[in-house]
């Protein structure tokens, strides 16, 4: 009987001691991190396109921090999902196609001959990247455009196109070496030619 | 005096294949019908064209001017007519097109008037540097960094040592070798100008020991010109080992100083210039010739006559290959630059640019495609040869696994892409391409992050502006409403102010009057009762008398209150009557 | 014109992984010769068996993993594993011991981890350790060197050895030709001092020469590989030096109970481990400094386990333990890169 008591007592004592230790550690070594919303917002691509269903990247960041899914951002694509998964210690999941597909980067281009100067697109642009005034032709500042395509819908004469950014020697990226095509049983293809993946 | 030669880590000894192209002297290349001049032949911003299609230009005329601080001018290499301005394939690893100016030669090769500087020592240094900038000179060694930017380094850095790079460590290339053999005096003259601008205390010319002829010719020239003692020049012969001609490696070899990561040599008091650049400076300053030609080694097993040619910038590779009797059937790979770091091009219409030091027309057997990559067996040979002392195989794992943060932490950006690791890799892994891929992904990520941050700022600014506008509108609306309400109130008050005051007074009086009347009535009733009781001789008369007295007091008080509040006549008459009545008792 | 566009460099050194493996195989020849000379046909039969099994298992794994047979079978890595295991196990061990060994080496230790280059442990040593634990009787019945018997070669004929290995037919000479290894004898010496054991045991007094000779053969092979720059000196030299220093220290303190340092270097799998296992690039540490630490650790563990542990020899365990530590060693032994004041170690930037 007394052995059982001793054992229970010892366990209780241990539990109490470790509890105190843990409690102390929790207070003493508390990590003051950046607010998580800021960190999430920093990962999001800031296109402010609203494809996630929220009116901008910050609101979506807030939603994620409150437990919303991390796969609702088509402009960020898989890279953003992976980064979010890494940050929040979640499993990376594929992009939710309900919110759109991952597309190559585009910028808005206004066919200036057709523009009637209604300023609707200017009001729609979340980053003030369209220049113009009422009854004046509008134009897109390409370096500021995030490619969110929010300006396409409001245009009454459909004169806005989303065009992919051209690849020039200056923004060209080295492709990854083709991953060992001959590792597969076929034994075909000697030499790894650089792929034309622009 | 012998200068001590130090060592750098790693390095390799690939077969140098230089002998073939040094058998014949430098020959001028044939004048092509058409010259293609990319606007960007250097590191920095593309130049801005100064000509339009149809313009006729003379040899040496500036046709594009530098745009921005780091940029270089472009000059017409011959006389002729501008036939096209627009995209054309350029020598670039991407194989893409970029803006060029195309010049149709008129065959006359007619110069503009040369404007050499008679005595550059009399000139202000900044003017002399501007002159060099106007001559379009960019590093001829391979990187193509605009030379004038490096010459300005004397302004904010103390330059102790000027290093002239004649190492030419890449196999096949002999352009600098031939230049030194034939034109050592031009190189020295250029060095003199560089020394005048930078005022170094020591000049070191680094050259690999496999160029005995060039070394002899250079030391002879040094002796003749007596510059050696005047400028404190040392000719340092370094052992042949690739990549001794890499800027950082040569600095380590000659001075045992390491350029700190992310810094430039000038931060440790050193400026490096290529021998070809020195010669180009000489020609610009003393002969008034801008940079319109350079020496190009045309070699490889697919050409019948490997040689060095003096080539006009913009000459298509095809012209040079033909001049060197190329065998198209055997040609398998066309490389611009050396076999270790050069870029392979798919098109022989690509032009020679300022950085084109060599064209290798290789046969299949000479440069066969690498065998398929085998798994890395972590043999560590790459690490043994890496001149930047990195861990190439770790970088490979990180690049392959897209763990770019870790790659960066392992100093990926200190990699100079010299190719030594890929050269020795027994598993034939395209290591350099893995690193290039990782680097461009990281750069792209950074650019995107920057853009995203910028977009966030703009979005937030817009949000703030919209909110502010809304708030302002709201504020204005409120202000308007308030102003209206105020006016309304004022008007109302003006109307109602007086009567309202009187009314309230009257009501009070009325109340007091009533109270006084009630008190009087009560008193009267009590008196009546008292009288009645006295008459009948009833008991409790004392008590009744007391009550009457009490009531008298109250009636008196109520009356007084009424009077003081402004009550008048009836009470004034009534009051004495009460007293009288009381006294009469 | 059909020109191709490739990333630089455009030239390569004529040097392949297969060539590296061939050099390693070449370097094992002296040891194979010495083993056969002193311990009979068994070694050769075991190596042949091991090679056949290794190639078969490798082929099966490659087929299952849908990889190119021609490409990977010719890299020679399976053969190196086979030869090393063939040399390591007792020459008269039954065939199924080798089969289990090769299975665990090729299938478990190599392909389940992703094939060549991805195995954290040296396959041959994984197999050896597994066999030693699973089949202690078969794995400790070592052949006695023929120098003791003098007529061993006539007694243990090729056919007899084949029958013994493949059919389990135990010939009459089995008991006279098998026994304990020198390290075994030293370990299980009862109350005797080392000197007494040395005098009383024929294995030690007469037979130890055979083991020294085999070690010498491994050393020769190792020096050849060093000369051919197949590996660097760091790991083997660090391992041998540590073992030697440890043994010298302890022997210097108590020569009656502990073996002298030359015994530690000369018998058992020390030389094989130092030159053929610890230098396995796949499972070793990467940088030169890391290799030295790896070697020191392996040397220490070999001595500790041999002297105070349960097993007479410890090279396999020591190297497997160090394989385990290799990634960690790598993290903290990154070289200082050009232009950096000091090496960046660990995983992340501090501060």
């Amino acid at each position: 009987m007394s052995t059982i008591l001793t054992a229970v007592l010892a366990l209780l004592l241990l539990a109490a001691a470790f509890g105190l230790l843990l409690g102390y550690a929790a207070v003493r070594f508390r990590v003051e991190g950046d607010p998580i919303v800021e960190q999430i917002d920093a990962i999001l691509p800031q296109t402010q396109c609203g494809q996630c269903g929220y009116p901008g990247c910050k609101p979506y960041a807030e939603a994620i921090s409150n437990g919303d899914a991390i796969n609702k951002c088509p402009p960020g694509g898989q890279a953003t999902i992976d980064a979010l998964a890494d940050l929040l210690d979640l499993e990376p999941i594929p992009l939710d196609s309900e919110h759109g597909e991952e597309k190559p980067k585009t910028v808005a281009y206004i066919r200036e001959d057709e523009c009637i100067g209604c300023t609707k697109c200017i009001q729609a642009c979340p980053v003030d990247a369209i220049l113009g005034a009422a009854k004046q032709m509008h134009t897109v500042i390409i370096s500021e455009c995030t490619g969110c395509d929010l300006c396409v819908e409001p245009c009454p004469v459909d004169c806005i196109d989303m065009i992919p950014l051209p690849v020039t020697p200056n923004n060209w990226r080295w492709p990854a070496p083709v991953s060992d095509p001959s590792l597969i049983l076929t034994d075909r293809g000697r030499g790894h030619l650089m792929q034309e993946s622009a | 005096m012998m200068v001590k030669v130090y060592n750098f880590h790693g390095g390799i000894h690939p077969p140098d294949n230089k002998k073939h192209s040094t058998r014949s002297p430098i020959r001028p290349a044939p004048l092509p019908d058409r010259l293609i001049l990319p606007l960007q032949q250097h590191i920095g911003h593309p130049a801005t064209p100064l000509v339009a299609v149809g313009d006729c230009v003379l040899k040496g005329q500036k046709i594009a001017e530098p745009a921005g601080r780091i940029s270089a001018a472009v000059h017409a290499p011959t006389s002729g007519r501008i036939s096209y301005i627009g995209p054309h394939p350029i020598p670039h690893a991407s194989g893409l097109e970029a803006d060029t100016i195309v010049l149709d030669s008129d065959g006359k090769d007619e110069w503009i008037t040369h404007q050499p500087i008679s005595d550059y020592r009399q000139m202000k240094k900044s003017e002399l540097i501007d002159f060099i900038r106007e001559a379009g000179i960019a590093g001829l060694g391979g990187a193509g960094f605009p030379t004038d930017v490096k010459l300005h380094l004397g302004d904010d850095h103390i330059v102790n040592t000027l290093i002239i790079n004649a190492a030419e460590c890449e196999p096949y290339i002999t352009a600098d070798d031939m230049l030194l053999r034939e034109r050592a005096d031009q190189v020295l003259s250029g060095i003199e100008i560089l020394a005048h601008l930078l005022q170094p205390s020591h000049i070191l010319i680094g050259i690999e020991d496999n160029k005995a002829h060039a070394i002899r010719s250079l030391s002879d020239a040094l002796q003749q010109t007596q510059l050696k003692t005047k400028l404190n020049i040392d000719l340092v012969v370094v052992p042949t080992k690739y990549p001794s001609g890499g800027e950082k490696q040569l600095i380590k070899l000659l001075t045992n100083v390491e350029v700190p990561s992310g810094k430039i040599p000038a931060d440790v008091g050193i400026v490096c210039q290529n021998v070809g650049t020195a010669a180009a400076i000489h020609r610009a300053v003393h002969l008034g010739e801008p940079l319109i030609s350079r020496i190009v080694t045309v070699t490889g097993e697919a050409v019948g006559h490997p040689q060095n040619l003096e080539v006009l910038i913009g000459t298509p590779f095809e012209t040079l290959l033909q001049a060197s009797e190329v065998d198209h059937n055997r040609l398998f790979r066309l490389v611009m630059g050396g076999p270790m770091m050069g870029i392979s091009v798919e098109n022989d219409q690509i032009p020679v640019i300022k950085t084109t030091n060599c064209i290798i027309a290789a046969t299949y057997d000479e440069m066969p495609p690498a065998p398929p990559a085998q798994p890395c067996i972590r043999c560590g040979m790459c690490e043994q040869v890496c001149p930047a002392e990195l861990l190439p195989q770790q970088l490979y794992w990180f690049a392959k696994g897209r763990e770019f943060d870790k790659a960066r932490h392992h100093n990926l950006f200190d990699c100079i892409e010299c190719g030594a690791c890929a050269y020795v890799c027994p598993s034939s892994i395209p290591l350099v391409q893995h690193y290039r891929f990782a680097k461009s992904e990281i750069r792209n990520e950074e650019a995107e992050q920057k853009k995203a941050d910028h977009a966030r700022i703009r979005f937030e600014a817009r949000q703030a502006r919209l909110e502010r506008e809304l708030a302002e509108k709201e504020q204005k609306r409120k202000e308007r409403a308030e102003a209206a309400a105020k006016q309304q109130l004022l008007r109302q008050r003006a109307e109602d102010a007086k009567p309202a005051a009187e009314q309230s007074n009257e009501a009070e009086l009325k109340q007091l009057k009533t109270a006084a009347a009630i008190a009087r009535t009560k008193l009267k009733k009590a008196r009546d009762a008292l009288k009645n009781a006295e008459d009948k001789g009833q008991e409790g008369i004392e008590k009744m008398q007391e009550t009457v007295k009490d009531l008298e007091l109250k009636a008196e008080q109520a009356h007084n209150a009424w009077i003081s509040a402004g009550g008048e006549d009836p009470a004034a008459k009534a009051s004495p009557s009460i007293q009288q009545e009381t006294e009469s008792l | 014109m059909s020109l191709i566009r490739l990333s630089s460099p455009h030239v390569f050194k004529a040097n392949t992984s297969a060539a590296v493996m061939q050099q390693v195989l070449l370097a094992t020849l002296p040891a194979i010769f010495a083993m056969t000379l002193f311990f009979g046909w068994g070694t050769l039969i075991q190596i042949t068996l091991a090679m056949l099994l290794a190639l078969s298992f490798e082929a099966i794994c490659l087929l299952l993993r849908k990889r190119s047979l021609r490409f990977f079978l010719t890299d020679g890595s399976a053969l190196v594993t086979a030869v090393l295991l063939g040399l390591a196990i007792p020459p008269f061990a039954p065939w199924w011991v080798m089969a289990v060994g090769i299975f665990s080496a090729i299938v478990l230790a190599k392909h389940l981890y992703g094939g060549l280059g991805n195995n954290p442990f040296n396959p041959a040593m994984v197999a050896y350790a597994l066999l030693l634990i699973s089949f202690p009787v078969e794995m400790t019945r070592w052949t006695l060197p023929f120098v003791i018997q003098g007529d061993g070669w006539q007694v243990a004929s090729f056919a007899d050895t084949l029958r013994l290995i493949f059919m389990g037919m135990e010939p009459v000479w089995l008991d006279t030709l098998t026994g304990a290894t020198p390290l075994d004898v030293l370990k299980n010496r009862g109350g005797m001092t080392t000197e007494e054991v040395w005098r009383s045991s024929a294995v030690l007094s007469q037979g130890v020469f055979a083991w020294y000779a085999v070690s010498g053969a491994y050393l020769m092979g190792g020096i050849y590989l060093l000369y051919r720059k197949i590996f660097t000196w760091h790991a083997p030299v660090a391992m041998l030096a540590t073992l030697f220093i440890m043994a010298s220290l302890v022997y210097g303190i108590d020569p009656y109970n502990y073996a002298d340092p030359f015994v530690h270097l000369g018998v058992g799998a020390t030389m094989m481990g130092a030159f053929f296992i610890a230098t396995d690039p796949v499972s070793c540490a990467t940088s030169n400094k890391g290799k030295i630490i790896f070697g020191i650790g392996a040397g220490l563990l070999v001595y500790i386990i041999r002297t105070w542990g349960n097993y007479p020899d410890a090279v396999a365990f020591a190297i497997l333990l160090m394989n385990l530590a290799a990634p960690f060693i790598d993290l903290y032994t990154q070289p200082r890169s050009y232009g950096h004041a000091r090496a960046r170690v660990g995983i992340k930037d501090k501060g």
Side-chain angles (χ1 to χ4, degrees):
Chain A
M1 195 60 206
S2 71
T3 45
I4 295 175
L5 262 179
T6 322
V8 169
L9 215 68
L11 280 177
L12 277 177
L13 268 174
L14 277 175
F18 281 117
L20 278 174
L21 197 70
L22 285 174
Y24 173 74
V27 177
R28 176 71 181 74
F29 302 111
R30 179 197 298 279
V31 179
E32 297 280 352
D34 282 352
I36 194 75
V37 175
E38 297 294 324
Q39 289 182 51
I40 297 170
D41 195 34
I43 291 172
L44 294 175
Q46 306 300 323
T47 44
Q48 318 294 356
C49 62
Q51 289 180 70
C52 50
Y54 295 93
C57 295
K58 191 76 175 277
Y60 181 43
E62 277 158 14
I64 290 176
S65 77
N66 291 326
D68 199 352
I70 57 172
N71 61 346
K72 295 185 176 177
C73 180
Q78 199 60 42
T80 296
I81 293 172
D82 291 346
L84 286 172
D86 191 40
L87 173 69
L88 303 170
D89 207 13
L90 299 169
E91 277 299 308
I93 39 178
L95 184 67
D96 187 353
S97 55
E98 202 178 291
H99 294 272
E101 305 286 328
E102 193 173 349
K103 282 177 288 195
K105 284 218 161 260
T106 55
V107 285
Y109 172 74
I110 298 177
R111 290 195 300 277
E112 294 174 352
D113 303 340
E114 294 167 37
C115 176
I116 53 169
C118 68
T119 76
K120 285 214 168 78
C121 58
I122 296 180
Q123 289 158 31
C125 180
V127 291
D128 286 338
I130 303 179
L131 211 61
K135 310 275 180 199
Q136 308 276 317
M137 173 187 83
H138 305 336
T139 190
V140 176
I141 310 168
I142 289 178
S143 63
E144 305 293 354
C145 178
T146 62
C148 67
D149 73 17
L150 289 181
C151 52
V152 175
E153 192 62 28
C155 181
V157 291
D158 280 339
C159 74
I160 303 180
D161 293 324
M162 298 304 295
I163 52 172
L165 275 174
V167 179
T168 66
N170 287 328
N171 68 7
W172 174 79
R173 278 143 62 186
W174 276 94
V178 184
S179 62
D180 316 323
S182 52
L183 290 192
I184 306 301
L185 195 59
T186 54
D187 271 354
R188 271 193 284 117
R190 307 285 290 174
H192 27 246
L193 298 170
M194 229 153 69
Q195 267 187 338
E196 285 298 311
S197 61
Chain B
M1 184 190 78
M2 272 299 287
V3 176
K4 188 171 186 296
V5 178
Y6 301 88
N7 195 9
F8 64 89
H9 180 266
I12 52 172
H13 298 93
D16 72 0
N17 288 316
K18 286 179 188 261
K19 300 232 156 39
H20 319 288
S21 54
T22 54
R23 288 191 201 114
S24 54
I26 301 170
R27 272 198 319 137
L31 181 67
D33 301 335
R34 165 170 286 196
L35 292 159
I36 301 122
L37 300 150
L39 292 172
Q40 186 175 16
Q41 308 182 22
H42 49 266
I43 289 175
H45 284 282
T48 316
L50 294 172
V51 288
V53 173
D55 287 2
C56 284
V57 294
L58 292 178
K59 182 173 186 166
Q61 183 182 335
K62 190 162 78 171
I63 55 172
E65 67 175 352
R69 177 83 183 82
I70 300 177
S71 186
V74 180
H75 297 77
T78 185
S79 58
R81 207 178 124 269
I82 307 293
S83 61
Y84 170 78
I85 296 176
H88 186 280
I90 57 157
H92 189 270
S94 65
L96 292 169
E97 301 189 338
D99 284 342
T100 57
I101 298 175
V102 177
L103 171 64
D104 283 349
S105 159
D106 60 9
K108 291 183 212 150
D109 215 21
E110 193 180 335
W111 269 98
I112 48 162
T113 34
H114 292 281
Q115 285 176 315
I117 299 174
S118 51
D119 187 359
Y120 64 86
R121 282 169 215 281
Q122 302 298 320
M123 255 176 121
K124 260 168 84 184
K125 276 185 191 172
S126 59
E127 281 171 18
L128 180 56
I129 295 173
D130 281 344
F131 180 85
I132 291 170
R133 177 178 161 96
E134 285 299 300
I137 296 173
L140 271 72
F145 195 79
T147 302
D148 62 287
V149 182
K150 274 188 177 178
L151 296 177
H152 270 301
L153 287 170
D155 303 349
D156 45 3
H157 291 81
I158 299 162
V159 179
N160 298 316
T161 311
L162 171 64
I163 290 181
I164 303 296
N165 190 344
E168 202 167 48
C169 59
E170 275 242 34
Y172 287 91
I173 311 176
T174 55
D176 290 348
D177 186 0
M178 293 307 289
L179 175 77
L180 286 172
R181 289 188 197 195
E182 298 187 12
R183 301 174 193 169
D185 52 332
Q186 289 191 8
V187 173
L188 288 181
S189 162
I191 292 173
E192 220 179 336
I193 301 167
L194 286 168
H196 168 70
L197 285 169
L198 293 168
Q199 297 293 331
S201 53
H202 196 185
I203 299 175
L204 296 165
I205 305 176
I207 187 164
E208 277 192 345
D209 60 9
N210 59 357
K211 301 175 189 57
H213 196 146
I215 294 167
R216 213 175 321 121
S217 133
L218 193 58
S219 53
D220 286 353
L222 269 173
Q223 225 137 45
Q224 275 168 22
T225 52
Q226 291 169 345
L227 280 175
K228 187 171 163 57
T229 43
K230 201 173 110 196
L231 295 178
N232 192 15
I233 298 180
D234 275 306
L235 179 59
V236 190
V237 180
V238 300
T240 299
K241 174 166 98 169
Y242 178 84
S244 65
E247 186 175 68
K248 290 178 170 181
Q249 280 64 41
L250 189 64
I251 289 172
K252 181 88 187 348
L253 271 177
L254 299 185
T255 65
N256 205 27
V257 171
E258 287 188 8
V259 182
S261 173
K263 297 268 176 75
I264 56 168
D267 293 327
V268 287
I270 296 169
V271 170
C272 266
Q273 292 286 2
N274 174 266
V275 277
T277 316
I281 290 174
H282 158 82
R283 287 171 85 153
V285 172
H286 290 296
L287 308 176
E289 289 178 19
L291 181 55
I292 53 165
S293 72
R294 64 157 301 143
I295 299 169
V296 178
T297 308
V298 183
T299 181
E301 281 176 15
V303 296
H305 184 50
Q307 59 184 333
N308 277 278
L309 295 169
E310 172 93 39
V311 180
L312 294 180
I313 307 290
T315 307
F317 287 2
E318 184 195 17
T319 311
L320 305 179
L321 292 175
Q322 251 152 30
S324 307
E325 297 151 29
V326 72
D327 179 353
H328 278 287
N329 296 326
R330 296 183 64 209
L331 179 57
F332 171 71
R333 189 185 321 209
L334 193 55
V335 176
M336 177 187 121
M340 298 302 297
M341 291 184 73
I343 54 177
S344 61
V345 298
E346 293 159 298
N347 183 337
D348 64 359
Q349 287 307 309
I350 282 175
V352 166
I353 60 171
K354 290 172 185 174
T355 55
T356 310
N357 46 14
C358 182
I359 296 168
I360 306 172
T363 59
Y364 185 92
D365 295 330
E366 194 178 9
M367 293 186 188
Q374 283 171 289
C376 169
I377 54 166
R378 307 186 3 126
C379 66
M381 286 185 197
C382 46
E383 189 201 332
Q384 308 295 332
V385 300
C386 178
E389 295 165 75
L390 304 171
L391 282 179
Q393 52 150 309
Q394 300 295 101
L395 291 175
Y396 157 69
W397 292 115
F398 297 141
K400 197 178 174 193
R402 304 192 174 216
E403 292 180 280
F404 298 137
D405 282 351
K406 284 190 189 158
R408 208 175 189 166
H409 180 68
H410 278 65
N411 303 322
L412 173 65
F413 281 92
D414 287 315
C415 168
I416 58 169
E417 302 177 18
C418 67
C421 50
Y423 177 78
V424 296
C425 181
S427 292
S428 320
I429 299 168
L431 292 165
V432 178
Q433 199 186 338
H434 277 287
Y435 308 148
R436 285 175 170 155
F437 160 71
K439 281 182 182 176
S440 54
E441 286 300 305
I442 292 173
R443 287 201 188 103
N444 181 55
E445 248 171 45
E446 265 172 11
E448 260 172 27
Q449 188 60 46
K450 227 171 162 183
K451 197 169 174 192
D453 288 341
H454 186 67
R456 181 186 305 117
I457 291 166
R458 283 182 74 89
F459 176 68
E460 277 164 7
R462 180 186 150 93
Q463 280 317 82
R465 195 193 73 222
L466 290 180
E467 261 165 43
R468 200 175 58 238
E469 279 174 7
L470 209 68
E472 270 168 16
K473 255 188 210 162
E474 182 69 12
Q475 182 74 22
K476 269 190 193 143
R477 197 187 59 76
K478 244 190 210 159
E479 271 169 22
R480 267 203 308 277
E482 247 166 50
K486 229 181 210 167
Q487 267 183 348
Q488 180 89 14
L489 199 70
L490 281 176
R491 225 178 300 133
Q492 188 99 26
R493 256 192 210 157
E495 280 172 17
D496 304 346
K498 218 173 170 186
E502 275 167 15
Q503 252 173 15
S504 75
N505 222 358
E506 226 159 62
E508 215 172 286
L509 271 178
K510 213 173 183 177
Q511 226 173 0
L512 287 171
K513 194 180 168 186
T514 319
I518 289 169
R520 221 170 31 237
T521 318
K522 271 187 185 167
L523 180 63
K524 204 175 173 194
K525 270 186 186 163
R527 273 187 190 149
D528 287 346
L530 181 63
K531 212 175 182 178
N532 197 20
E534 273 171 349
D535 290 348
K536 290 176 183 170
Q538 274 177 348
E539 279 178 51
I541 292 172
E542 292 86 358
K543 205 177 178 182
M544 285 177 133
Q545 276 171 339
E546 254 170 61
T547 312
V548 170
K549 263 186 189 155
D550 216 31
L551 286 170
E552 267 172 12
L553 202 70
K554 276 187 183 162
E556 178 83 19
Q557 272 170 1
H559 184 73
N560 284 348
W562 177 50
I563 295 298
S564 66
E568 266 169 38
D569 41 343
K573 294 162 204 161
S575 181
S577 74
I578 294 173
Q579 266 172 354
Q580 278 164 12
E581 277 172 49
T582 316
E583 273 161 350
S584 70
L585 281 169
Chain C
M1 178 190 293
S2 66
L3 291 170
I4 57 165
R5 194 156 56 81
L6 297 151
S7 172
S8 67
H10 305 286
V11 288
F12 298 94
K13 196 173 178 181
N15 180 23
T16 61
S17 296
V20 172
M21 298 296 175
Q22 278 160 23
Q23 293 292 330
V24 175
L25 287 177
L26 198 65
T28 57
L29 285 182
I32 295 175
F33 177 74
M35 285 285 286
T36 313
L37 190 67
F38 291 108
F39 300 101
W41 292 111
T43 306
L44 269 187
I45 296 171
Q46 296 287 0
I47 289 174
T48 316
L49 172 63
M51 286 173 129
L52 289 174
L53 283 169
L55 287 180
S56 324
F57 280 124
E58 179 96 350
I60 292 168
C61 284
L62 289 173
L63 279 174
L64 286 173
R65 293 178 61 212
K66 298 194 167 52
R67 295 297 196 273
S68 159
L69 278 186
R70 189 182 68 195
F71 189 66
F72 284 102
L73 272 186
T74 51
D75 69 16
S77 60
L79 292 182
V80 170
T81 302
V83 169
L84 291 178
L85 191 60
L87 284 168
I89 75 169
F92 293 155
W95 65 271
W96 47 266
V97 167
M98 180 56 84
V100 172
I102 292 291
F103 175 80
S104 38
I106 301 291
V107 181
L108 299 185
K110 189 168 150 191
H111 279 286
L112 286 191
Y113 283 102
L116 178 62
N118 297 314
N119 46 311
F121 302 103
N122 181 289
M125 286 302 104
V126 170
Y128 183 82
L130 191 135
L131 292 177
L132 190 61
I133 293 167
S134 311
F135 313 115
V137 178
E138 285 79 4
M139 287 297 285
T140 49
R141 189 171 61 184
W142 195 269
T143 314
L144 293 180
F146 291 166
V147 278
I148 301 179
Q149 306 294 331
D151 54 354
W153 271 90
Q154 283 116 50
V155 177
S157 72
F158 185 74
D160 276 351
T161 316
L162 264 185
R163 271 195 290 272
L164 172 60
I165 291 174
F166 286 100
M167 296 153 79
M169 287 167 63
E170 300 196 355
V172 280
W173 48 260
L174 188 64
D175 285 342
T176 60
L177 269 188
T178 53
T181 61
L183 284 171
D184 248 334
V185 175
L186 279 168
K187 174 126 228 145
N188 303 312
R189 63 181 182 272
M192 287 189 277
T193 65
T194 34
E195 219 185 322
E196 285 162 359
V197 179
W198 205 259
R199 259 183 282 121
S200 66
S201 159
V203 172
L204 287 181
S205 54
Q206 298 163 36
V208 79
F209 168 75
W211 274 281
Y212 279 139
V214 171
S215 289
Y218 280 123
L219 182 64
M220 268 174 63
I223 289 170
Y224 170 74
L225 290 178
L226 268 178
Y227 167 72
R228 295 302 302 260
K229 293 188 176 158
I230 299 297
F231 51 71
T232 60
W233 58 268
H234 304 82
V237 169
M239 178 172 162
L240 294 178
T242 310
L243 185 58
F244 187 79
I245 291 166
M246 273 300 286
S248 305
L249 278 180
V250 178
Y251 182 70
I253 293 165
D254 186 359
Y256 297 107
N257 286 315
Y258 295 96
D260 73 81
F262 293 101
V263 170
H264 275 287
L265 292 190
V267 302
T270 311
M271 285 296 167
M272 179 193 187
F275 287 103
F276 290 87
I277 311 292
T279 54
D280 169 23
V282 178
S283 51
C284 185
T286 312
S287 66
N288 291 343
K289 215 184 353 171
K291 283 174 185 156
I292 289 178
I293 294 173
F294 185 97
I296 290 173
L300 270 179
L301 283 171
V302 167
Y303 189 79
I304 289 169
I305 301 175
R306 265 187 191 174
T307 313
W308 297 295
N310 269 335
Y311 287 92
D313 205 352
V315 172
F317 297 116
I319 288 178
L320 286 176
L321 283 170
M322 289 315 290
N323 285 166
L324 202 65
F328 182 71
I329 295 173
D330 279 348
L331 266 187
Y332 287 93
T333 54
Q334 291 168 28
R336 182 199 66 95
S337 298
Y338 180 105
H340 289 265
R342 66 182 82 81
R344 282 184 176 178
V345 295
I347 308 166
K348 292 214 162 114
D349 289 314
K350 288 180 190 78

